[in-house]
Amino acid sequence: MFAMFKSGPTISVPEVEAGLRQGTLVLIDVRDPSEIKQSGMAKGAISLPLATLSMRANPSSPECIAELKSGKDIVLYCASGARSAGAARMLTQMGHAPVINLGGLGDWIQGGGDITRA
């Protein structure tokens, strides 16, 4: 249903898990903290809510998180894939590459990914 939000490169959950183990990518959950508290988060993901993304992901900002200065591939997800699609566009405009929209947390679960609960 939300496949329309997945434009650009795609990636499978096993590929994301391998990249996390190898240290070649960063997995970012752009949902609000209340959503993460309610449903958990993909194992290995970093929480970076969309509301703070423009500041905390901008390489020229002193608030930019170290993981986004590493040159690693960036994989994003949210609840449905819509917010992560917008976040992917934003990060690409900031000069990050490659940026991949995994879709929603349901895509992670459907692909066999583990969930961590706060």
Side-chain angles (χ1 to χ4, degrees), residues 17-92:
E17 291 172 324
L20 288 169
R21 280 191 306 276
Q22 296 165 2
T24 58
L25 65 77
V26 178
L27 178 61
I28 298 176
D29 186 331
V30 298
R31 297 176 301 147
D32 293 329
S34 62
E35 293 174 275
I36 293 170
K37 185 176 180 180
Q38 202 171 52
S39 58
M41 188 162 95
K43 184 177 180 183
I46 297 168
S47 173
L48 192 57
L50 189 59
T52 65
L53 193 66
S54 64
M55 177 180 60
R56 299 198 58 216
N58 188 336
S60 64
S61 169
E63 299 294 322
C64 186
I65 63 171
E67 293 86 353
L68 294 180
K69 293 181 179 181
S70 66
K72 297 177 182 180
D73 295 359
I74 300 169
V75 179
L76 305 165
Y77 74 92
C78 62
S80 68
R83 285 176 287 177
S84 52
R89 284 189 298 275
M90 183 187 307
L91 291 177
T92 301

